[in-house]
């Protein structure tokens, strides 16, 4: 892992290097960049894959105590990350976490050449679905917050609808999930960071304004949505594709939200067909 110092603290990232088109791949809450391991393996021969671990609970380095870790604050860290690495004409790929959509409304999308939006938060679906609402309720009560995170140590509970059961059709390997959750189990500062994020969701009118601003994104955009998603409504994927002036829609069957886990080969195929590359 490489690391870069941003205004909020140190952010770790993986960079495959190379001269191919740059893909920056963003994960969701209580995960890290390993969400993309299969996709990176399938694309790294032709693309430079850059995968930051965002301060969303799966990060190992706590952020500064006064860091802005609201949804928009984390999105601005993404823009700062692109600046710090001087990445240009980036294809920004997001899954589960939709906060980076706010970069268009915020006027911080100048380094983004293309968007690939795969089953993620959009419109007023922040935090998303039953798992997101459960996390939000727990974050408001200190004991419930600790209990909710500790329960994830019990592997059978990970497949319940209000935890991770509706996030992927196929169980994520326990070793991978253990690595995602371990920072939350072992660090009060990491728990603080995630709680700040969960409690930093703006009102619905702001969220809907972010979506509306996508009408101004004048570059290619691909919306890839899980047709059977139970957390991110498939109708949201269709709405996003209609909002984006150059939006295209691909629906993927046999997958829930975590398409990089359920159907990585199909997602790789969609990205290859959308982003020009040497082969």
């Amino acid at each position: 892992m490489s690391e870069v110092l941003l205004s909020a603290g140190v952010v770790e990232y993986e960079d495959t290097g190379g001269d191919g088109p740059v893909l920056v791949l963003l994960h969701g809450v209580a995960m890290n960049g390993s969400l993309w391991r299969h996709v990176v393996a399938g694309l790294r021969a032709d693309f430079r894959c850059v995968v930051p671990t965002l301060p969303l609970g799966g990060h190992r380095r706590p952020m500064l105590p006064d860091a802005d870790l609201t949804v928009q604050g984390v999105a601005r860290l993404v823009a700062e990350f692109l600046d710090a690495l001087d990445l240009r004409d980036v294809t920004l790929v997001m899954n589960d976490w939709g906060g980076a959509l706010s970069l268009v409304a915020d006027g911080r999308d100048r380094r983004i050449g293309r968007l690939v939006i795969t089953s993620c938060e959009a419109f007023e679906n922040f935090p998303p679905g039953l798992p997101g609402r459960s996390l939000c309720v727990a974050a408001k009560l200190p004991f419930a917050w600790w209990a909710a995170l500790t329960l994830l140590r019990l592997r059978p509970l990970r497949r319940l609808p209000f935890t991770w059961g509706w996030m992927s059709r196929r169980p994520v390997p326990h070793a991978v999930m253990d690595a995602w959750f371990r920072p939350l189990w072992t660090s009060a500062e990491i728990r603080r960071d995630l709680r700040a994020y969960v409690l930093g969701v703006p009102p619905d009118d702001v969220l809907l304004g972010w979506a509306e601003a996508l009408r101004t994104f004048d570059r290619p955009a691909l919306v890839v949505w899980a047709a059977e998603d139970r957390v991110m409504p498939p109708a949201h994927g269709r709405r996003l594709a209609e909002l984006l002036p150059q939006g295209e829609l691909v629906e993927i069957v046999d997958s829930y939200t975590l398409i990089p886990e359920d159907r990585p080969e199909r997602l790789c195929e969609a990205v290859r067909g959308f982003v020009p590359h040497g082969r």
Side-chain angles (χ1 to χ4, degrees):
M1 295 288 283
S2 300
E3 57 184 45
V4 60
L5 178 61
L6 304 180
S7 61
V10 173
V11 169
E12 296 182 313
Y13 66 97
E14 176 189 0
D15 185 349
T16 63
D19 298 325
V22 178
L23 308 178
V24 174
L25 303 118
L26 307 179
H27 61 83
V29 167
M31 303 179 209
N32 61 33
S34 68
L35 170 71
W36 296 102
R37 63 198 183 282
H38 301 307
V39 173
V40 169
L43 295 178
R44 65 184 301 157
D46 298 310
F47 298 89
R48 178 184 174 188
C49 300
V50 182
V51 190
T53 292
L54 301 175
L56 295 173
H59 56 300
R60 299 184 300 180
R61 302 283 293 272
M63 297 295 101
L64 298 173
D66 60 348
D68 179 2
L69 298 180
T70 61
V71 176
Q72 191 165 39
V74 176
R76 288 173 174 170
L77 279 182
V78 172
E80 191 179 333
F81 177 80
L82 302 183
D83 289 341
L85 271 62
D86 194 24
L87 302 175
R88 303 170 185 269
D89 195 27
V90 165
T91 297
L92 193 67
V93 188
M94 63 194 78
N95 177 250
D96 184 35
W97 181 62
L101 294 175
S102 70
L103 292 175
V104 177
D106 207 22
R108 299 182 183 231
D109 60 335
R110 64 187 180 88
R111 291 183 179 270
I112 301 172
R114 294 170 181 261
L115 282 173
V116 177
I117 305 168
T118 81
S119 284
C120 66
E121 299 161 314
F123 305 102
E124 67 275 38
N125 191 32
F126 282 78
L130 181 58
R133 290 193 296 272
S134 300
L135 195 64
C136 189
V137 169
K140 295 176 181 178
L141 303 167
F143 176 76
W145 181 242
W146 168 248
L149 300 176
T150 301
L151 283 175
L152 292 174
R153 291 179 180 269
L154 304 176
R155 291 178 171 183
L157 298 187
R158 296 174 182 178
R159 295 302 294 169
L160 295 176
F162 63 86
T163 58
W164 290 81
W166 284 357
M167 294 298 291
S168 62
R169 285 185 65 91
R170 299 157 186 82
V172 178
H174 286 305
V176 172
M177 297 193 87
D178 287 344
W180 290 354
F181 303 146
R182 188 170 294 112
L184 290 167
W185 296 335
T186 58
S187 170
E189 290 82 5
I190 299 297
R191 294 193 294 273
R192 174 206 65 198
D193 289 349
L194 178 58
R195 186 168 182 265
Y197 171 80
V198 173
L199 297 178
V201 175
D204 285 356
D205 61 331
V206 174
L207 296 171
L208 293 171
W210 292 349
E212 188 64 24
L214 295 176
R215 295 185 187 277
T216 69
F217 188 78
D218 58 357
R219 283 142 279 170
L222 177 67
V223 179
V224 182
W225 219 264
E228 302 152 76
D229 206 315
R230 305 178 74 174
V231 177
M232 316 295 180
H236 283 188
R238 295 188 285 271
R239 285 172 64 187
L240 287 171
E242 291 170 0
L243 278 173
L244 290 154
Q246 297 186 48
E248 304 174 31
L249 175 66
V250 172
E251 291 190 328
I252 292 183
V253 300
D254 193 28
S255 180
Y256 288 167
T257 301
L258 299 184
I259 300 172
E261 288 287 340
D262 279 334
R263 296 296 308 277
E265 75 295 335
R266 183 67 185 88
L267 183 52
C268 288
E269 178 185 334
V271 171
R272 285 184 177 279
F274 175 67
V275 183
H277 55 287
R279 294 187 185 181

